[in-house]
């Protein structure tokens, strides 16, 4: 059952969480410009409106969990933030393992009841192969570029579907919308999505972008809307120079790696063994992080390095 309730002729609300009560509506702007705008329930976000978060603890108040989960790296002058296709790969990974377990249970408990003539062995192993392929291949899909929030330039750079956008911060169109279709749940659970609506006028080469808006899925969550508001408030504070805000300057991209510093302190043999043992554990508990190792990564167009002031292709 949905917790999103209609409370007015053009107003829907979701349950309050950490001081935030979403207010969804249909807007004329969305109906006119956005894909499927007539059925879109969303809350447009404004750069100058602070999200009323009720947080406890210094790290939570400074939204450090947003940086740790979604940032590709902090730099003097700009910040790279990953999008949903990178941070939410665990759904397909765990989905493949789940279906493999269901199939194993069926085969195990039907042993002696269902004969090999009914389910040939090659078919049985093919199902296992498909399940594990769904899990593993999703980790090697090409990584999308993060959004680059350039505070010094007050611009946001987006490389999406081979179209480059250069958007003034104050003209960015963000909203949190009701995501009615949830994969695997047939819409039985509430879904929320933080989106950036890419205006074709901000495309560097407009002929490549067409004449319509394109939706960029920044963050998707089932049942809980507060992570989306946290993400939005984090980038809003960053671009507006507001505090409190946790950010760490990085010399290398934020992804799992072998630590030579730890190896020097703890010993190379010990560190190497722990690293090898920890890999399968990391794969099971943090598949999103392990997916960052894929060699298939998009690269920024040359213009972005010029606007940024330095070459950085982190994912």
């Amino acid at each position: 059952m949905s917790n999103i309730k209609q409370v007015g002729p053009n107003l829907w609300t979701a349950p309050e969480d950490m001081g935030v009560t979403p207010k969804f509506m249909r807007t004329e702007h969305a109906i006119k410009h956005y894909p499927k705008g007539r059925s879109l329930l969303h809350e447009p976000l404004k750069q100058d409106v602070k999200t009323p978060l009720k947080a406890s603890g210094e790290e939570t108040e400074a939204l450090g969990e947003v940086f740790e989960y979604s940032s590709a790296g902090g730099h003097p002058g700009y910040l790279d933030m990953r999008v949903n296709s990178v941070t939410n790969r665990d759904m397909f990974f765990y989905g493949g393992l789940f279906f493999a377990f269901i199939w194993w249970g069926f085969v195990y408990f039907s042993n002696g009841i269902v004969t090999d003539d009914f389910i040939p062995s090659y078919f049985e192993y093919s199902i296992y192969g498909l399940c594990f392929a769904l899990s593993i291949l999703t980790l090697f899909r090409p990584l999308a570029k993060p959004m680059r929030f350039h505070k010094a330039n007050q611009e946001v750079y987006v490389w999406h579907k081979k179209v480059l956008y250069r958007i003034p911060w104050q003209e960015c169109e963000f909203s949190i919308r009701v995501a009615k279709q949830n994969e695997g749940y047939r819409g039985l659970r509430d879904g929320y999505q933080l989106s950036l609506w890419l205006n074709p006028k901000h495309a560097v080469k407009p002929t490549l972008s067409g004449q319509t808006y394109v939706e960029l899925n920044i963050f998707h969550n089932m049942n809980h809307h507060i992570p989306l508001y946290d993400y939005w408030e984090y980038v809003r504070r960053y671009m507006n120079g507001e505090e409190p805000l946790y950010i760490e300057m990085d010399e290398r991209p934020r992804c799992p790696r072998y630590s030579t510093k730890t190896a020097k302190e703890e010993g190379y043999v010990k560190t190497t063994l722990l690293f090898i043992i920890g890999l399968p554990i990391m794969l099971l508990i943090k598949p999103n992080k392990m997916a960052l190792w894929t060699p298939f990564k998009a690269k920024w167009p040359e213009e972005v390095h010029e606007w940024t002031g330095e070459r950085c292709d982190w994912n």
Side-chain angles (χ1 to χ4, degrees):
M1 175 179 282
S2 175
N3 290 316
I4 300 172
K5 305 297 182 184
Q6 185 169 5
V7 297
N10 186 27
L11 182 62
W12 289 257
T13 62
E16 183 271 341
D17 190 3
M18 290 181 63
V20 177
T21 302
K23 295 179 176 60
F24 303 114
M25 63 191 73
R26 292 189 175 97
T27 63
E28 289 298 325
H29 181 73
I31 292 173
K32 185 177 180 180
H33 297 288
Y34 295 169
K36 299 180 180 179
R38 291 190 177 278
S39 61
L40 178 67
L41 297 180
H42 71 137
E43 180 179 359
L45 301 169
K46 298 180 180 179
Q47 284 82 341
D48 58 348
V49 177
K50 184 176 182 179
T51 309
L53 300 172
K54 291 182 180 177
S56 59
E58 289 186 10
E59 183 178 349
T60 302
E61 186 177 352
L63 301 172
E65 69 278 3
V66 177
F67 179 86
E68 294 297 335
Y69 185 77
S70 297
S71 177
H75 313 263
Y78 66 97
L79 174 70
D80 287 343
M81 296 293 288
R82 294 175 178 135
V83 296
N84 186 74
S85 65
V86 176
T87 58
N88 268 343
R89 295 191 172 205
D90 54 352
M91 179 173 59
F92 288 103
F93 177 79
Y94 291 131
L97 297 183
F98 174 76
F99 285 117
F101 178 77
I102 294 296
W103 178 246
W104 173 83
F106 171 76
V107 172
Y108 179 82
F109 288 107
S110 64
N111 188 27
I113 300 175
V114 179
T115 64
D116 289 342
D117 293 333
F118 186 75
I119 302 181
S121 58
Y122 71 83
F123 181 79
E124 176 185 338
Y125 293 119
S126 295
I127 296 296
Y128 284 125
L130 288 174
C131 291
F132 286 112
L134 176 63
S135 290
I136 300 302
L137 293 180
T138 190
L139 301 181
F140 289 93
R141 287 187 293 115
L143 285 182
K145 295 305 296 181
M147 297 178 296
R148 178 157 294 177
F149 292 89
H150 205 299
K151 182 167 64 174
N153 294 349
Q154 283 294 287
E155 294 177 329
V156 178
Y157 310 137
V158 176
W159 176 244
H160 183 58
K161 295 184 178 179
K162 297 185 178 181
V163 178
L164 176 62
Y165 297 86
R166 184 182 190 180
I167 316 170
W169 164 242
Q170 291 298 331
E171 296 183 30
C172 287
E173 299 178 35
F174 290 92
S175 69
I176 291 178
R177 72 177 183 91
V178 177
K180 294 182 179 180
Q181 300 299 322
N182 292 303
E183 296 175 27
Y185 291 90
R186 298 185 181 273
L188 296 179
R189 292 175 60 181
D190 292 329
Y192 304 95
Q193 185 166 302
L194 173 62
S195 298
L196 172 60
W197 304 93
L198 299 168
N199 190 331
K201 78 174 186 178
H202 296 306
V204 176
K205 296 180 180 179
T207 54
L208 296 179
S209 66
Q211 301 302 315
T212 60
Y213 275 74
V214 176
E215 181 183 14
L216 174 60
N217 182 354
I218 299 174
F219 199 89
H220 181 96
N221 198 284
M222 292 183 184
N223 274 0
H224 302 287
H225 56 74
I226 196 61
L228 285 65
Y229 284 96
D230 284 343
Y231 191 117
W232 160 249
E233 179 62 13
Y234 185 87
V235 298
R236 194 199 68 80
R237 290 184 192 179
Y238 174 77
M239 292 300 286
N240 292 346
E242 298 178 13
E243 298 290 345
L245 188 76
Y246 174 89
I247 186 170
E248 187 175 294
M249 296 297 112
D250 299 290
E251 296 180 357
R252 293 188 294 177
R254 303 183 68 254
C255 62
R257 62 169 56 88
Y258 181 85
S259 175
T260 54
K261 180 180 179 181
T262 302
K264 290 179 181 179
E265 296 174 353
E266 302 292 335
Y268 283 93
V269 175
K270 176 183 176 181
T271 303
T272 302
L273 287 175
L274 290 175
F275 183 76
I276 295 173
I277 294 172
L279 283 178
I281 299 175
M282 279 286 291
L283 180 62
L284 288 175
I285 64 175
K286 291 186 177 182
N288 291 331
K289 295 293 184 182
M290 299 302 290
L292 297 173
W293 280 1
T294 178
F296 308 109
K297 301 177 181 181
K299 291 184 178 294
W300 283 115
E302 284 300 317
E303 296 97 319
V304 176
H305 302 305
E306 296 175 8
W307 305 333
T308 301
E310 67 176 0
R311 178 172 293 276
C312 178
D313 248 323
W314 298 357
N315 284 81

